[in-house]
Amino acid sequence: MKMRELEQRSGVGRETIRYYIRMGLLPEPARPKANVADYSDEHVRRLGVIKRLQSERYLPLGFIKQVLDRPNAGEIAALPGLDAMLAASLGVAAANGGTRLADAAAQAGLTPAELDVLVRDRVVEVQGGALSPLDLAIAKAWGRVRASGYSPEAGFFAEDARLYVETLEPLTRREIERFYGRLTGSGTVEDAARMGQAGIELINDLIALLRTRMLLGLVAEMNARAASVGGS
């Protein structure tokens, strides 16, 4: 294909394409004769990979070249068994068919109706009429929140937990897309499992610290706002 068609199919301008060729991110086009360049579907595919990786902030072209030079050439590859490895290493693998809902509600310190709300809002997931160890731990965590004073009597309800699902879903999707985009083709599934476990545990700590700082800042902001209104 000619340069014009490559621009149209890739959505990338010719000067940028020529720059990528000089950088080694794209192969040289075939040249059947002087002053004629013939580009291929590989150029289109690589430009798509570059655009995808560049959409992640601060990802330099030097790193993108390393990804393109991997055996999978920047394409996202499957990591079979990674979910089971991570569940086992994190101690949340399903066992013994899980915990029945009626038992789970009692263990979590919730009413059956409150647990039903958590199920409805996808805070916890039911498999075969039971909760996995991870979902039971989530239910128990919400039960501890309730027991600490965040109860219906104080104006807090099980429906409030949905906020965290809605907030975390887009974040975790971006995280896993970045994880696959950067790691696949660079090691074994076992390597990915080790990094995945570390990422889950350490980033959980990072998120908790960032959230604490933000909450403290907002408490100060709300107090200042209330004081200014009260003093006016």
mmCIF file with all atom_site columns, all heavy atoms in Angstrom, residues 64-84:
data_model
loop_
_atom_site.group_PDB
_atom_site.id
_atom_site.type_symbol
_atom_site.label_atom_id
_atom_site.label_alt_id
_atom_site.label_comp_id
_atom_site.label_asym_id
_atom_site.label_entity_id
_atom_site.label_seq_id
_atom_site.pdbx_PDB_ins_code
_atom_site.Cartn_x
_atom_site.Cartn_y
_atom_site.Cartn_z
_atom_site.occupancy
_atom_site.B_iso_or_equiv
_atom_site.pdbx_formal_charge
_atom_site.auth_seq_id
_atom_site.auth_comp_id
_atom_site.auth_asym_id
_atom_site.auth_atom_id
_atom_site.pdbx_PDB_model_num
ATOM 1   N N   . ILE A 1 64 ? 8.402  1.381   24.115 1.00 0.00 ? 64 ILE A N   1
ATOM 2   C CA  . ILE A 1 64 ? 7.518  0.804   23.105 1.00 0.00 ? 64 ILE A CA  1
ATOM 3   C C   . ILE A 1 64 ? 8.324  -0.020  22.109 1.00 0.00 ? 64 ILE A C   1
ATOM 4   O O   . ILE A 1 64 ? 7.891  -1.099  21.685 1.00 0.00 ? 64 ILE A O   1
ATOM 5   C CB  . ILE A 1 64 ? 6.724  1.910   22.392 1.00 0.00 ? 64 ILE A CB  1
ATOM 6   C CG1 . ILE A 1 64 ? 5.746  2.568   23.371 1.00 0.00 ? 64 ILE A CG1 1
ATOM 7   C CG2 . ILE A 1 64 ? 5.972  1.361   21.187 1.00 0.00 ? 64 ILE A CG2 1
ATOM 8   C CD1 . ILE A 1 64 ? 4.982  3.742   22.792 1.00 0.00 ? 64 ILE A CD1 1
ATOM 9   N N   . LYS A 1 65 ? 9.513  0.443   21.744 1.00 0.00 ? 65 LYS A N   1
ATOM 10  C CA  . LYS A 1 65 ? 10.366 -0.333  20.825 1.00 0.00 ? 65 LYS A CA  1
ATOM 11  C C   . LYS A 1 65 ? 10.741 -1.672  21.442 1.00 0.00 ? 65 LYS A C   1
ATOM 12  O O   . LYS A 1 65 ? 10.746 -2.704  20.763 1.00 0.00 ? 65 LYS A O   1
ATOM 13  C CB  . LYS A 1 65 ? 11.618 0.452   20.469 1.00 0.00 ? 65 LYS A CB  1
ATOM 14  C CG  . LYS A 1 65 ? 12.497 -0.252  19.426 1.00 0.00 ? 65 LYS A CG  1
ATOM 15  C CD  . LYS A 1 65 ? 13.691 0.587   19.042 1.00 0.00 ? 65 LYS A CD  1
ATOM 16  C CE  . LYS A 1 65 ? 14.470 -0.081  17.922 1.00 0.00 ? 65 LYS A CE  1
ATOM 17  N NZ  . LYS A 1 65 ? 14.909 -1.439  18.249 1.00 0.00 ? 65 LYS A NZ  1
ATOM 18  N N   . GLN A 1 66 ? 11.042 -1.680  22.750 1.00 0.00 ? 66 GLN A N   1
ATOM 19  C CA  . GLN A 1 66 ? 11.351 -2.948  23.416 1.00 0.00 ? 66 GLN A CA  1
ATOM 20  C C   . GLN A 1 66 ? 10.171 -3.900  23.360 1.00 0.00 ? 66 GLN A C   1
ATOM 21  O O   . GLN A 1 66 ? 10.326 -5.105  23.140 1.00 0.00 ? 66 GLN A O   1
ATOM 22  C CB  . GLN A 1 66 ? 11.740 -2.700  24.868 1.00 0.00 ? 66 GLN A CB  1
ATOM 23  C CG  . GLN A 1 66 ? 13.047 -1.942  25.061 1.00 0.00 ? 66 GLN A CG  1
ATOM 24  C CD  . GLN A 1 66 ? 13.335 -1.696  26.530 1.00 0.00 ? 66 GLN A CD  1
ATOM 25  O OE1 . GLN A 1 66 ? 12.984 -2.501  27.385 1.00 0.00 ? 66 GLN A OE1 1
ATOM 26  N NE2 . GLN A 1 66 ? 13.952 -0.566  26.831 1.00 0.00 ? 66 GLN A NE2 1
ATOM 27  N N   . VAL A 1 67 ? 8.960  -3.365  23.562 1.00 0.00 ? 67 VAL A N   1
ATOM 28  C CA  . VAL A 1 67 ? 7.765  -4.202  23.508 1.00 0.00 ? 67 VAL A CA  1
ATOM 29  C C   . VAL A 1 67 ? 7.579  -4.764  22.104 1.00 0.00 ? 67 VAL A C   1
ATOM 30  O O   . VAL A 1 67 ? 7.291  -5.952  21.920 1.00 0.00 ? 67 VAL A O   1
ATOM 31  C CB  . VAL A 1 67 ? 6.524  -3.394  23.942 1.00 0.00 ? 67 VAL A CB  1
ATOM 32  C CG1 . VAL A 1 67 ? 5.247  -4.189  23.709 1.00 0.00 ? 67 VAL A CG1 1
ATOM 33  C CG2 . VAL A 1 67 ? 6.641  -2.999  25.410 1.00 0.00 ? 67 VAL A CG2 1
ATOM 34  N N   . LEU A 1 68 ? 7.763  -3.928  21.095 1.00 0.00 ? 68 LEU A N   1
ATOM 35  C CA  . LEU A 1 68 ? 7.592  -4.374  19.710 1.00 0.00 ? 68 LEU A CA  1
ATOM 36  C C   . LEU A 1 68 ? 8.633  -5.409  19.312 1.00 0.00 ? 68 LEU A C   1
ATOM 37  O O   . LEU A 1 68 ? 8.388  -6.238  18.433 1.00 0.00 ? 68 LEU A O   1
ATOM 38  C CB  . LEU A 1 68 ? 7.665  -3.168  18.766 1.00 0.00 ? 68 LEU A CB  1
ATOM 39  C CG  . LEU A 1 68 ? 6.460  -2.227  18.793 1.00 0.00 ? 68 LEU A CG  1
ATOM 40  C CD1 . LEU A 1 68 ? 6.782  -0.932  18.072 1.00 0.00 ? 68 LEU A CD1 1
ATOM 41  C CD2 . LEU A 1 68 ? 5.242  -2.887  18.164 1.00 0.00 ? 68 LEU A CD2 1
ATOM 42  N N   . ASP A 1 69 ? 9.783  -5.380  19.953 1.00 0.00 ? 69 ASP A N   1
ATOM 43  C CA  . ASP A 1 69 ? 10.849 -6.327  19.633 1.00 0.00 ? 69 ASP A CA  1
ATOM 44  C C   . ASP A 1 69 ? 10.676 -7.675  20.319 1.00 0.00 ? 69 ASP A C   1
ATOM 45  O O   . ASP A 1 69 ? 11.433 -8.615  20.065 1.00 0.00 ? 69 ASP A O   1
ATOM 46  C CB  . ASP A 1 69 ? 12.214 -5.742  20.025 1.00 0.00 ? 69 ASP A CB  1
ATOM 47  C CG  . ASP A 1 69 ? 12.643 -4.607  19.101 1.00 0.00 ? 69 ASP A CG  1
ATOM 48  O OD1 . ASP A 1 69 ? 12.080 -4.515  17.993 1.00 0.00 ? 69 ASP A OD1 1
ATOM 49  O OD2 . ASP A 1 69 ? 13.512 -3.811  19.503 1.00 0.00 ? 69 ASP A OD2 1
ATOM 50  N N   . ARG A 1 70 ? 9.677  -7.790  21.225 1.00 0.00 ? 70 ARG A N   1
ATOM 51  C CA  . ARG A 1 70 ? 9.437  -9.063  21.894 1.00 0.00 ? 70 ARG A CA  1
ATOM 52  C C   . ARG A 1 70 ? 8.840  -10.066 20.911 1.00 0.00 ? 70 ARG A C   1
ATOM 53  O O   . ARG A 1 70 ? 8.335  -9.693  19.849 1.00 0.00 ? 70 ARG A O   1
ATOM 54  C CB  . ARG A 1 70 ? 8.483  -8.873  23.082 1.00 0.00 ? 70 ARG A CB  1
ATOM 55  C CG  . ARG A 1 70 ? 9.085  -8.074  24.225 1.00 0.00 ? 70 ARG A CG  1
ATOM 56  C CD  . ARG A 1 70 ? 8.036  -7.822  25.284 1.00 0.00 ? 70 ARG A CD  1
ATOM 57  N NE  . ARG A 1 70 ? 8.568  -6.981  26.356 1.00 0.00 ? 70 ARG A NE  1
ATOM 58  C CZ  . ARG A 1 70 ? 7.829  -6.450  27.309 1.00 0.00 ? 70 ARG A CZ  1
ATOM 59  N NH1 . ARG A 1 70 ? 6.527  -6.669  27.342 1.00 0.00 ? 70 ARG A NH1 1
ATOM 60  N NH2 . ARG A 1 70 ? 8.379  -5.701  28.240 1.00 0.00 ? 70 ARG A NH2 1
ATOM 61  N N   . PRO A 1 71 ? 8.883  -11.374 21.274 1.00 0.00 ? 71 PRO A N   1
ATOM 62  C CA  . PRO A 1 71 ? 8.347  -12.392 20.362 1.00 0.00 ? 71 PRO A CA  1
ATOM 63  C C   . PRO A 1 71 ? 6.899  -12.172 19.956 1.00 0.00 ? 71 PRO A C   1
ATOM 64  O O   . PRO A 1 71 ? 6.504  -12.508 18.848 1.00 0.00 ? 71 PRO A O   1
ATOM 65  C CB  . PRO A 1 71 ? 8.497  -13.692 21.178 1.00 0.00 ? 71 PRO A CB  1
ATOM 66  C CG  . PRO A 1 71 ? 9.651  -13.425 22.089 1.00 0.00 ? 71 PRO A CG  1
ATOM 67  C CD  . PRO A 1 71 ? 9.537  -11.963 22.449 1.00 0.00 ? 71 PRO A CD  1
ATOM 68  N N   . ASN A 1 72 ? 6.093  -11.590 20.852 1.00 0.00 ? 72 ASN A N   1
ATOM 69  C CA  . ASN A 1 72 ? 4.690  -11.365 20.494 1.00 0.00 ? 72 ASN A CA  1
ATOM 70  C C   . ASN A 1 72 ? 4.490  -10.024 19.799 1.00 0.00 ? 72 ASN A C   1
ATOM 71  O O   . ASN A 1 72 ? 3.361  -9.656  19.480 1.00 0.00 ? 72 ASN A O   1
ATOM 72  C CB  . ASN A 1 72 ? 3.802  -11.441 21.740 1.00 0.00 ? 72 ASN A CB  1
ATOM 73  C CG  . ASN A 1 72 ? 4.039  -10.297 22.694 1.00 0.00 ? 72 ASN A CG  1
ATOM 74  O OD1 . ASN A 1 72 ? 5.148  -9.757  22.760 1.00 0.00 ? 72 ASN A OD1 1
ATOM 75  N ND2 . ASN A 1 72 ? 3.021  -9.910  23.431 1.00 0.00 ? 72 ASN A ND2 1
ATOM 76  N N   . ALA A 1 73 ? 5.595  -9.294  19.595 1.00 0.00 ? 73 ALA A N   1
ATOM 77  C CA  . ALA A 1 73 ? 5.591  -8.038  18.823 1.00 0.00 ? 73 ALA A CA  1
ATOM 78  C C   . ALA A 1 73 ? 4.566  -7.036  19.327 1.00 0.00 ? 73 ALA A C   1
ATOM 79  O O   . ALA A 1 73 ? 3.957  -6.309  18.560 1.00 0.00 ? 73 ALA A O   1
ATOM 80  C CB  . ALA A 1 73 ? 5.357  -8.320  17.338 1.00 0.00 ? 73 ALA A CB  1
ATOM 81  N N   . GLY A 1 74 ? 4.369  -6.997  20.647 1.00 0.00 ? 74 GLY A N   1
ATOM 82  C CA  . GLY A 1 74 ? 3.490  -5.999  21.224 1.00 0.00 ? 74 GLY A CA  1
ATOM 83  C C   . GLY A 1 74 ? 2.038  -6.383  21.301 1.00 0.00 ? 74 GLY A C   1
ATOM 84  O O   . GLY A 1 74 ? 1.235  -5.656  21.874 1.00 0.00 ? 74 GLY A O   1
ATOM 85  N N   . GLU A 1 75 ? 1.674  -7.520  20.715 1.00 0.00 ? 75 GLU A N   1
ATOM 86  C CA  . GLU A 1 75 ? 0.288  -7.961  20.808 1.00 0.00 ? 75 GLU A CA  1
ATOM 87  C C   . GLU A 1 75 ? 0.038  -8.559  22.189 1.00 0.00 ? 75 GLU A C   1
ATOM 88  O O   . GLU A 1 75 ? 0.900  -9.215  22.761 1.00 0.00 ? 75 GLU A O   1
ATOM 89  C CB  . GLU A 1 75 ? -0.012 -9.014  19.739 1.00 0.00 ? 75 GLU A CB  1
ATOM 90  C CG  . GLU A 1 75 ? 0.066  -8.474  18.313 1.00 0.00 ? 75 GLU A CG  1
ATOM 91  C CD  . GLU A 1 75 ? -1.083 -7.542  17.966 1.00 0.00 ? 75 GLU A CD  1
ATOM 92  O OE1 . GLU A 1 75 ? -2.011 -7.409  18.800 1.00 0.00 ? 75 GLU A OE1 1
ATOM 93  O OE2 . GLU A 1 75 ? -1.048 -6.943  16.885 1.00 0.00 ? 75 GLU A OE2 1
ATOM 94  N N   . ILE A 1 76 ? -1.148 -8.330  22.717 1.00 0.00 ? 76 ILE A N   1
ATOM 95  C CA  . ILE A 1 76 ? -1.502 -8.894  24.015 1.00 0.00 ? 76 ILE A CA  1
ATOM 96  C C   . ILE A 1 76 ? -1.690 -10.402 23.862 1.00 0.00 ? 76 ILE A C   1
ATOM 97  O O   . ILE A 1 76 ? -2.441 -10.855 23.001 1.00 0.00 ? 76 ILE A O   1
ATOM 98  C CB  . ILE A 1 76 ? -2.774 -8.236  24.564 1.00 0.00 ? 76 ILE A CB  1
ATOM 99  C CG1 . ILE A 1 76 ? -2.487 -6.768  24.900 1.00 0.00 ? 76 ILE A CG1 1
ATOM 100 C CG2 . ILE A 1 76 ? -3.295 -8.981  25.776 1.00 0.00 ? 76 ILE A CG2 1
ATOM 101 C CD1 . ILE A 1 76 ? -3.682 -5.998  25.384 1.00 0.00 ? 76 ILE A CD1 1
ATOM 102 N N   . ALA A 1 77 ? -0.982 -11.164 24.672 1.00 0.00 ? 77 ALA A N   1
ATOM 103 C CA  . ALA A 1 77 ? -1.048 -12.618 24.614 1.00 0.00 ? 77 ALA A CA  1
ATOM 104 C C   . ALA A 1 77 ? -1.726 -13.157 25.863 1.00 0.00 ? 77 ALA A C   1
ATOM 105 O O   . ALA A 1 77 ? -1.727 -12.519 26.912 1.00 0.00 ? 77 ALA A O   1
ATOM 106 C CB  . ALA A 1 77 ? 0.366  -13.206 24.488 1.00 0.00 ? 77 ALA A CB  1
ATOM 107 N N   . ALA A 1 78 ? -2.310 -14.346 25.729 1.00 0.00 ? 78 ALA A N   1
ATOM 108 C CA  . ALA A 1 78 ? -2.961 -14.984 26.876 1.00 0.00 ? 78 ALA A CA  1
ATOM 109 C C   . ALA A 1 78 ? -1.915 -15.435 27.892 1.00 0.00 ? 78 ALA A C   1
ATOM 110 O O   . ALA A 1 78 ? -0.779 -15.765 27.544 1.00 0.00 ? 78 ALA A O   1
ATOM 111 C CB  . ALA A 1 78 ? -3.781 -16.183 26.400 1.00 0.00 ? 78 ALA A CB  1
ATOM 112 N N   . LEU A 1 79 ? -2.304 -15.430 29.154 1.00 0.00 ? 79 LEU A N   1
ATOM 113 C CA  . LEU A 1 79 ? -1.466 -15.952 30.239 1.00 0.00 ? 79 LEU A CA  1
ATOM 114 C C   . LEU A 1 79 ? -2.273 -17.045 30.931 1.00 0.00 ? 79 LEU A C   1
ATOM 115 O O   . LEU A 1 79 ? -2.844 -16.842 31.994 1.00 0.00 ? 79 LEU A O   1
ATOM 116 C CB  . LEU A 1 79 ? -1.095 -14.825 31.216 1.00 0.00 ? 79 LEU A CB  1
ATOM 117 C CG  . LEU A 1 79 ? -0.210 -13.722 30.645 1.00 0.00 ? 79 LEU A CG  1
ATOM 118 C CD1 . LEU A 1 79 ? -0.105 -12.551 31.613 1.00 0.00 ? 79 LEU A CD1 1
ATOM 119 C CD2 . LEU A 1 79 ? 1.191  -14.259 30.322 1.00 0.00 ? 79 LEU A CD2 1
ATOM 120 N N   . PRO A 1 80 ? -2.362 -18.227 30.310 1.00 0.00 ? 80 PRO A N   1
ATOM 121 C CA  . PRO A 1 80 ? -3.238 -19.283 30.829 1.00 0.00 ? 80 PRO A CA  1
ATOM 122 C C   . PRO A 1 80 ? -2.859 -19.724 32.233 1.00 0.00 ? 80 PRO A C   1
ATOM 123 O O   . PRO A 1 80 ? -1.688 -19.950 32.538 1.00 0.00 ? 80 PRO A O   1
ATOM 124 C CB  . PRO A 1 80 ? -3.039 -20.426 29.818 1.00 0.00 ? 80 PRO A CB  1
ATOM 125 C CG  . PRO A 1 80 ? -1.740 -20.138 29.156 1.00 0.00 ? 80 PRO A CG  1
ATOM 126 C CD  . PRO A 1 80 ? -1.606 -18.651 29.120 1.00 0.00 ? 80 PRO A CD  1
ATOM 127 N N   . GLY A 1 81 ? -3.872 -19.811 33.095 1.00 0.00 ? 81 GLY A N   1
ATOM 128 C CA  . GLY A 1 81 ? -3.654 -20.250 34.469 1.00 0.00 ? 81 GLY A CA  1
ATOM 129 C C   . GLY A 1 81 ? -3.272 -19.145 35.422 1.00 0.00 ? 81 GLY A C   1
ATOM 130 O O   . GLY A 1 81 ? -3.133 -19.387 36.631 1.00 0.00 ? 81 GLY A O   1
ATOM 131 N N   . LEU A 1 82 ? -3.104 -17.917 34.922 1.00 0.00 ? 82 LEU A N   1
ATOM 132 C CA  . LEU A 1 82 ? -2.654 -16.821 35.786 1.00 0.00 ? 82 LEU A CA  1
ATOM 133 C C   . LEU A 1 82 ? -3.666 -16.539 36.893 1.00 0.00 ? 82 LEU A C   1
ATOM 134 O O   . LEU A 1 82 ? -3.282 -16.288 38.042 1.00 0.00 ? 82 LEU A O   1
ATOM 135 C CB  . LEU A 1 82 ? -2.412 -15.560 34.965 1.00 0.00 ? 82 LEU A CB  1
ATOM 136 C CG  . LEU A 1 82 ? -1.973 -14.317 35.754 1.00 0.00 ? 82 LEU A CG  1
ATOM 137 C CD1 . LEU A 1 82 ? -0.669 -14.568 36.498 1.00 0.00 ? 82 LEU A CD1 1
ATOM 138 C CD2 . LEU A 1 82 ? -1.833 -13.112 34.832 1.00 0.00 ? 82 LEU A CD2 1
ATOM 139 N N   . ASP A 1 83 ? -4.967 -16.581 36.575 1.00 0.00 ? 83 ASP A N   1
ATOM 140 C CA  . ASP A 1 83 ? -5.980 -16.288 37.597 1.00 0.00 ? 83 ASP A CA  1
ATOM 141 C C   . ASP A 1 83 ? -5.914 -17.286 38.741 1.00 0.00 ? 83 ASP A C   1
ATOM 142 O O   . ASP A 1 83 ? -5.982 -16.903 39.926 1.00 0.00 ? 83 ASP A O   1
ATOM 143 C CB  . ASP A 1 83 ? -7.375 -16.249 36.980 1.00 0.00 ? 83 ASP A CB  1
ATOM 144 C CG  . ASP A 1 83 ? -7.683 -17.478 36.133 1.00 0.00 ? 83 ASP A CG  1
ATOM 145 O OD1 . ASP A 1 83 ? -6.750 -18.222 35.791 1.00 0.00 ? 83 ASP A OD1 1
ATOM 146 O OD2 . ASP A 1 83 ? -8.863 -17.684 35.804 1.00 0.00 ? 83 ASP A OD2 1
ATOM 147 N N   . ALA A 1 84 ? -5.752 -18.576 38.423 1.00 0.00 ? 84 ALA A N   1
ATOM 148 C CA  . ALA A 1 84 ? -5.680 -19.594 39.474 1.00 0.00 ? 84 ALA A CA  1
ATOM 149 C C   . ALA A 1 84 ? -4.406 -19.442 40.302 1.00 0.00 ? 84 ALA A C   1
ATOM 150 O O   . ALA A 1 84 ? -4.430 -19.596 41.531 1.00 0.00 ? 84 ALA A O   1
ATOM 151 C CB  . ALA A 1 84 ? -5.748 -20.994 38.862 1.00 0.00 ? 84 ALA A CB  1
#
